[in-house]
Every structure is written in structure tokens, then in C-alpha cells.
Amino acid sequence: MRTDVRRTHNAVTTTASTTTASTAAAAAVLAGISTVRNLGILAHVDAGKTTVTERILFLAGETHKRGEVHDGTTVTDCHPQERERGITIFAAAVSCLWDGHRINLIDTPGHVDFADEVERSLRVLDGAVAVFDAVAGVEPQSESVWRQADRHGVPRIAFVNKMDRAGADLDAAVASIRDRLHPVPLAVQLPVGREGDFTGVVDLLTMRALTWDDGPGRDGLREGPVPEELRAEAEHRRRRLDEAVAGLHPAALEEYYEHTALSTATLAAALRDLTHSGEAVVVLCGSAYRNRGVEPLLAAVTAYLPSPLDVPAVRGSAVGAAGSGGAAGAESSQGADGAEGAEGAEVERAADPAGPLTALVFKVNVTASGRLTYLRLYTGTLRKGDTVLDATTGRTERIARILRVQADSHTETDSAVAGDIVAVIGVKAARTGATLCAPGSPLVLEPPVTAEPVVTVAVEARRSVDTDRLAVALARLAEEDPSLVVRTDPETGQRVLSGLGELHLEVAVEKIRRDHNGLEVTVGRPQVAHRETVERGVTGHVHRHVKQDGGAGQFAQVVIDVAPLDGPVGAQEGGGFVFASTVTGGRVPKEYVQAVEAGCRDALAEGPLGGHPVTGLRVTLTDGATHSKDSSDLAFRTAGRTALRDALRACRMVLLEPVVEVTVTVPQEAVGGVLGDLAARRGRVQGSEPHGAAAAVTAVVPLAELFGYATALRSRTQGRGTFTTRPAGYAPAPAAAR
């Protein structure tokens, strides 16, 4: 009897010890995830994103020498084209350790032609550092990437860079953030020195001065009391910071009413909460090139930006496992702790390493030596040798290797957990936007939105024997970059490559030449992607679809109105098409109304003017008729498609061309010539702002008129002029183009 009791006691003790050990292990993993920061560096081109990234890697000990963009020695700008052009083209992932935190960082492009790289990166990031030029403040592409981050709900902090430049002004940069981006900017630093004499900052939270020398090492930071000449200004700014935070944060407000000031701990906690909610943005300053202000930036990243545990649970749609059906399929859509919902139901999964694996493919890099697939793990644990399900296609894949990424170099690891950003080898077919998950718990996450191409060129192999090689090269390009679209022109038989801009296509073609030795390519003149829209619509257009060829027939009658859609073309919701139904009395059943809408969307692919996609119209189904036996979804979809095609031929149509907002920065003496040149390119000048000895001219110009503009601007301004663009929708094309 005593032996049985002893055995039972030992078994219970062993079970309790095992449970305690597993709980402790799980807690340790979660603690590790809480120290991860997945962030991106966002900015306008030439604001200093890559230099900021290089200084972070240098201070964290990942590199032993400070890389410079102008020398082509940076880690993240590792592609030959990036080093030659001096700009970031491809989003590059790096990782480093700082103050007990793992920082997974993605350096994103700043040029508008590569905005899709930014979009794919933001889809998998938990936070971001927005870099601004201390002289220019918020620039056009800064605004664009900020809006992209808004759409993804990514918390941000701001870093005003280049404080050592002539004309640098922190207050002006903060004002431009407030006026153009509309968050509440909270500056937590005061510059020490101006322009070339900028030596450091005053930290308004600790009320300590941080200064740097110009030494090449990592030990240039000095901390000390606030200089007497700045003490009054620092105290004034701290009071203003306390007041601003108290007005936004309830807990801070209570302490402020009680003590008329905020403690450092309360202020820091409030700034973290406001950053996570997006109600405010913490603003820091420095000069990355001179290695000043980067350590406080890293401290702010770890203090204010969220970990994977702080962001909302990822959402996806439940699906059945590949190859399963019936009860098995229903069973396969259950999670580890029970049913997650019927197929198609929305499912949430928190960042739990013990949960079912859920990862999103956000980048694919195809090379002659292999295929790298970049993943963000949201839940679960991924191990080398695991079999995963591509829930998007139903195909299973085997993970051969898992790599920690350092731009173009990699370190192998045996596993990755929720919150990690890694690359894997062995995945053969998963495309960008695919969801990789546990085979027993399939889930499809929302993929990144891919921008619609606006510029097209014809691409041909110079030698006929290279035609097949060119086809392979183009397919590889489209696999790596979903914003590049490859198709064959049905009329000419030419292969056509479409992208987001002239530079985008130029880089893509050059990549073909470099990656495929001996492949000579000829490229046609760029062409823009036109659209068609309705200028004057029609009402009461009747179409009757009848088909009888033995057996069940087809019958559908629809009456539609077509009208222009209000608002700027290219900016309307739903892709510039709105469908509505005013049918009453059940003359067209609800399920057939949806079929009519689907048919109308089919008809939008080709317009009557030149076969271009149609946008900017409203279609209303006003009446119709059915047959008791011959009406069906197919009949009404066909009727809707044919009715809209015929109605568009009766409408007054307008050909549209893409237009862009151009900001040209030139010396004051060259403004007159630039204005005349923009007018000759059918540009509409919107304004001009002085920037010291230069001026920034803003205009809306047809994209087709900007081909070759970079060369013309350099010639007109002796190489001192620069310009940036961002999409501005579509506008009516001149009569000659119709």
C-alpha cells in the first residue's frame, strides 16, 4: 500500500515538475519575443535612410567600419546598381542586437518608382523610423510613405537628420510634420549648436546633454549637464512637452493636474502609449553621417516602438487543408485548441510560439544559385526540415534551411519563432503574398497590395537564339517583383514589360543584362498605360440575352444607366467603378443582381476607344426580366457584360493618361527656364517655394512627357537641378492621342 502511494506521489511530482519546466520555457520564449523590434526605415530619397541604417549596424557591432553611400561600401545597398546609382532600389533586411533587444530592420527605397517594395515591407513590420531632412522637412515621397504606413497602422517615430547642414532647422521640420502629415509631433530633444556647429542634443526626458566628437570609433558619446546657455530653453521645452502629452494621455493628465509636471517614468510610458496608438509621433534629431544622435534613436526604438506581442493579433481567413474534403476538410480548419471557424471565416492568431505556424511571404529573391523566400512569422515555430502548407495554392513545401539575413550575407539557424523575420531555402513555388502555415491549421493572410503598372516597354532578345532565355529572365523578374507585369502583345507578338516608372523599368532591364551573361536585349520607347472613362452617360439601355441550342436555354434581360463617377479619376474607391441596383418587385432576383455586377466588371477590361481599361463610372441596374426555366447566373452575367459594352459605345468616352505631381528643386536663377519647360510639357504649375538659394517648383505633368526629363533638367541647370515625382491619378489626354 505504501509503495503504491509512493509511486503515485512520485508520478504527481514528476508531472508537476515537467509542467513547471514547460511553463518556464514558454515564459522565457515570450520574454524573448518581447525584446524583438521589427522596424523599417522610411523616407524621401536622399534623406539619409541608408546612412542611418549603416550607423545602427556600426554602433551595434555588426560592422567594423562605417559604410558610406558615396563610396559604395554600405551593407544594405549591396546590389551593384544601388552602389552605382547611389540610391536604395531593393528593400534589404538586416538584424542586430542593442541593449538586450534584437532589432530586425528593413531599409526601404525612397524613390517613387520602388514604392511597391515599401508596401511589401510595411505589410510585415511592427514599427518604423521616418527620416526627414532637417533643411527640406517633409518632402513628397516622405508624405507618400507616411500615408502607406497609415494604411497599415504602423507606429512610427521621427528622426530629423542632417542637422549639421546649412539651413537645418528642427522647429521648421517639426512644423512641416504637423502641417503636412497631421500627427501631433512631440520633440523630445533640443539641438546643441546649429548647422556646422551641431555637436549634440539635450534629452528633454532626463534633462541631460548628449554630445559627440568626430572620432571614427563607437565611443564618441559624452553625457553631461545641460549647458547654461540652453538651460532656460530646455526647461521651457520640457514644460511644453509635459503639457502636450498631458492633453493626449489620461494617466499623464492626472499626474499633471496634481503636480503641474510629469515624472520621467510617466512621460516615457505616455510617449510609448501615444506612439502605439498613432495619436502622436516622437521626434528626435541628429546627423547620421557624423554619427551624432543614433544612440538616442536606438534607445527610442526599444522604448517606444512595439514588440510582436504589442501589436494586434494577425487576422486571416480559414481554409480547408489541401487535398482534404468533407469532414476531413472541416477538421483540418481547426486550430490546436478547437475549431477556428468555418471555411472563409475570419480567424485571429496572436504571437504565440506554441500556436499553429502562420507566416507571410513578403519577398522572393531568385538567383542562379537558388531561391530565397523571405518570411515574417506571426505565430508558431518553424524548424529546419518542417513541411509547411502554402495555403494560397494548397501546395506543400519543405523547409531545407532557415537563415538570419544580413542584406546579402546570411547566418544559418535551426529554428525561428513568432515575431521573427527570416529567409528560408527549399520553398520552390510560393509567391510574394503567399501564406505558409501548419498543414493541420491552414489560414490565408491578406497579401500586400500590388501597385498597378503605369509605364510599358517592349523587350526583345537581340538574337533569336536568346528568345527562350529572355522569357525565363522576365519570368524570374516578375516572380521577384509583383509590380512588374510581363505579357505578350496579341497584335504584335512582342513581349511587353510594365512597371511603376521609367527608372523601375530601366533597373529591371539592366538586371536582366547583368544576371544573364551574354543576353543582349533591345528595349522600345516607354509607353504609358491609358484608361478610358465616361464623360456623358446613357440611361435606360436595354439588353436582352437569349440563347437556345437544345436543352436548357439562357434568358436574361437587363436595363442599365451609365453615368460618370464623381471625384478625381484614379482616386475613387473600388477601382473607379460603382454598381447599384434600384430594381423593385423582384423583377431581377438578388442572386442575379450580383451576376449582372460581375458581368459589368468583366466589361471594364476593354473600352471602346482603344481597348484600354475603363474607370470612373457608375452603373445602375434599373429593371430587367427573367424566365422561369432559362434564367441563370451565367445568363445574367453574360447580359451584364454585353449590355455595358454596348452602352459604352453609346456614351461619350474620354481617353485618360496618367499624371504625376513633380517637385523640381533648382537654383533661383533657373526657375524661369524650368517653368517654361514644364509648360511645354503640358504641366500645370501649382506653386513655388523658396529654399534658401534654391526654389522648389511643384507641378502636375503627364507621365508621358517626363521620359528623359532627368537629362533635360541637368542640362538646363548645369547639373544642379533635381526632381521627384509621385502618382496623381489620371487626366484627359489631348485630342491627338485619342
Side-chain angles (χ1 to χ4, degrees):
M1 181 71 175
R2 291 177 181 174
T3 302
D4 294 342
V5 170
R6 191 179 297 114
R7 287 174 179 168
T8 303
H9 174 74
N10 290 341
V12 171
T13 303
T14 302
T15 302
S17 300
T18 303
T19 302
T20 303
S22 61
T23 302
V29 173
L30 288 176
I33 295 176
S34 69
T35 63
V36 172
R37 299 292 184 272
N38 294 317
L39 66 129
I41 307 293
L42 313 174
H44 184 88
V45 64
D46 203 33
K49 300 180 306 303
T50 301
T51 303
V52 169
T53 305
E54 288 298 317
R55 298 304 181 263
I56 289 174
L57 294 176
F58 176 71
L59 291 172
E62 292 294 331
T63 58
H64 302 292
K65 183 181 179 182
R66 294 184 289 186
E68 305 295 352
V69 173
H70 56 271
D71 292 335
T73 57
T74 58
V75 172
T76 52
D77 284 356
C78 53
H79 194 276
Q81 288 201 71
E82 294 178 310
R83 291 178 174 172
E84 290 171 5
R85 298 173 187 271
I87 61 172
T88 301
I89 296 173
F90 308 104
V94 293
S95 181
C96 64
L97 296 175
W98 178 265
D99 193 24
H101 292 75
R102 173 169 290 281
I103 297 177
N104 297 320
L105 190 152
I106 298 180
D107 180 20
T108 64
H111 197 285
V112 65
D113 281 17
F114 308 104
D116 212 54
E117 288 273 341
V118 182
E119 185 73 19
R120 292 194 295 272
S121 299
L122 284 171
R123 175 64 180 82
V124 299
L125 294 175
D126 301 325
V129 175
V131 180
F132 301 95
D133 189 310
V135 178
V138 176
E139 298 174 89
Q141 189 60 13
S142 306
E143 191 170 351
S144 296
V145 296
W146 189 275
R147 302 303 175 212
Q148 286 178 282
D150 280 343
R151 290 198 302 272
H152 290 279
V154 175
R156 279 142 283 171
I157 59 177
F159 181 68
V160 179
N161 192 26
K162 303 186 179 183
M163 288 294 297
D164 56 331
R165 282 186 60 192
D169 189 334
L170 175 63
D171 292 336
V174 169
S176 70
I177 293 173
R178 180 187 299 108
D179 296 341
R180 298 192 62 174
L181 305 181
H182 309 300
V184 178
L186 300 173
V188 297
Q189 293 176 341
L190 170 66
V192 176
R194 290 182 59 85
E195 300 179 348
D197 296 327
F198 172 76
T199 58
V201 298
V202 173
D203 185 341
L204 298 180
L205 273 74
T206 62
M207 294 302 288
R208 299 284 288 174
L210 306 174
T211 58
W212 288 264
D213 58 34
D214 284 324
R218 300 184 180 91
D219 56 353
L221 172 61
R222 303 287 182 268
E223 183 177 346
V226 179
E228 281 300 321
E229 64 271 19
L230 292 177
R231 183 171 296 279
E233 177 68 15
E235 291 174 349
H236 171 66
R237 289 185 180 239
R238 172 59 189 264
R239 286 194 298 271
R240 287 171 51 192
L241 178 62
D242 287 350
E243 292 171 1
V245 171
L248 297 170
H249 194 277
L253 182 61
E254 292 182 12
E255 183 174 315
Y256 187 80
Y257 272 143
E258 186 173 349
H259 303 288
T260 66
L262 298 179
S263 67
T264 301
T266 300
L267 181 56
L271 290 173
R272 175 179 170 84
D273 292 343
L274 294 172
T275 300
H276 287 198
S277 67
E279 295 179 71
V281 57
V282 173
V283 181
L284 302 98
C285 64
S287 169
Y289 179 70
R290 296 177 67 180
N291 209 31
R292 296 176 178 178
V294 181
E295 292 96 333
L297 174 63
L298 283 166
V301 164
T302 59
Y304 305 133
L305 291 181
S307 76
L309 298 177
D310 298 323
V311 298
V314 67
R315 295 183 177 183
S317 300
V319 296
S324 61
E331 199 173 307
S332 69
S333 64
Q334 297 177 358
D337 55 353
E340 287 187 332
E343 183 163 345
E346 186 175 76
V347 176
E348 288 189 357
R349 288 182 181 172
D352 181 6
L357 175 69
T358 310
L360 184 71
V361 177
F362 69 94
K363 183 178 177 67
V364 173
N365 188 11
V366 184
T367 65
S369 58
R371 187 179 196 269
L372 272 182
T373 304
Y374 292 77
L375 306 177
R376 160 66 194 268
L377 273 70
Y378 287 98
T379 64
T381 300
L382 182 66
R383 296 179 178 85
K384 185 168 65 173
D386 281 355
T387 297
V388 299
L389 173 71
D390 182 347
T392 312
T393 63
R395 177 190 175 115
T396 56
E397 303 271 10
R398 185 178 178 277
I399 305 299
R401 297 167 63 194
I402 303 174
L403 307 174
R404 298 275 181 197
V405 182
Q406 203 73 354
D408 59 345
S409 62
H410 315 95
T411 304
E412 191 164 349
T413 183
D414 290 332
S415 64
V417 300
D420 275 340
I421 293 178
V422 295
V424 297
I425 295 176
V427 176
K428 295 180 174 61
R431 305 294 292 267
T432 300
T435 304
L436 300 184
C437 56
S441 299
L443 188 73
V444 174
L445 303 179
E446 182 182 355
V449 176
T450 301
E452 190 174 352
V454 294
V455 181
T456 299
V457 293
V459 181
E460 294 179 332
R462 186 166 295 176
R463 299 178 301 181
S464 58
V465 294
D466 289 335
T467 301
D468 291 341
R469 291 181 62 199
L470 177 60
V472 171
L474 290 172
R476 181 181 293 179
L477 269 181
E479 187 176 359
E480 291 185 338
D481 186 351
S483 61
L484 289 170
V485 176
V486 180
R487 64 180 178 86
T488 301
D489 190 306
E491 295 182 2
T492 64
Q494 290 178 309
R495 282 193 176 87
V496 175
L497 180 64
S498 302
L500 303 182
E502 191 177 8
L503 180 60
H504 190 205
L505 295 179
E506 184 181 324
V507 167
V509 172
E510 183 62 25
K511 194 170 189 297
I512 291 176
R513 293 182 176 131
R514 289 174 183 264
D515 294 350
H516 301 267
N517 293 332
L519 180 55
E520 299 180 9
V521 180
T522 59
V523 182
R525 187 180 185 277
Q527 295 182 340
V528 298
H530 289 87
R531 296 289 183 270
E532 299 177 24
T533 192
V534 175
E535 185 178 56
R536 186 180 64 197
V538 296
T539 59
H541 181 82
V542 182
H543 178 75
R544 186 182 183 94
H545 173 67
V546 180
K547 184 177 181 182
Q548 192 73 46
D549 53 3
Q554 294 184 22
F555 178 88
Q557 179 172 309
V558 296
V559 182
I560 60 173
D561 294 346
V562 180
L565 188 61
D566 296 333
V569 178
Q572 301 100 333
E573 295 293 328
F577 173 72
V578 173
F579 181 88
S581 173
T582 59
V583 177
T584 58
R587 293 180 61 81
V588 179
K590 186 175 181 180
E591 61 269 23
Y592 293 160
V593 172
Q594 296 175 348
V596 174
E597 179 179 357
C600 290
R601 291 188 180 276
D602 294 341
L604 298 177
E606 295 183 0
L609 293 181
H612 308 292
V614 182
T615 186
L617 73 160
R618 181 189 306 275
V619 176
T620 306
L621 179 65
T622 59
D623 201 356
T626 61
H627 187 276
S628 58
K629 293 183 179 180
D630 292 345
S631 291
S632 63
D633 281 351
L634 176 60
F636 272 91
R637 183 165 186 159
T638 303
R641 179 172 60 249
T642 309
L644 183 54
R645 283 178 179 172
D646 293 344
L648 290 177
R649 294 189 185 98
C651 294
R652 178 184 292 173
M653 303 293 293
V654 174
L655 185 68
L656 302 173
E657 62 179 348
V659 295
V660 294
E661 182 182 278
V662 183
T663 302
V664 187
T665 304
V666 294
Q668 290 282 1
E669 61 270 20
V671 169
V674 168
L675 290 175
D677 186 41
L678 289 173
R681 296 173 184 270
R682 299 190 284 124
R684 300 192 311 276
V685 177
Q686 296 183 317
S688 176
E689 295 182 4
H691 284 272
V697 178
T698 303
V700 175
V701 185
L703 180 59
E705 298 290 346
L706 287 181
F707 295 143
Y709 183 60
T711 302
L713 181 63
R714 290 192 203 105
S715 175
R716 190 174 292 276
T717 61
Q718 290 80 47
R720 293 183 293 167
T722 61
F723 78 100
T724 58
T725 65
R726 63 172 177 171
Y730 286 82
R738 301 181 188 178

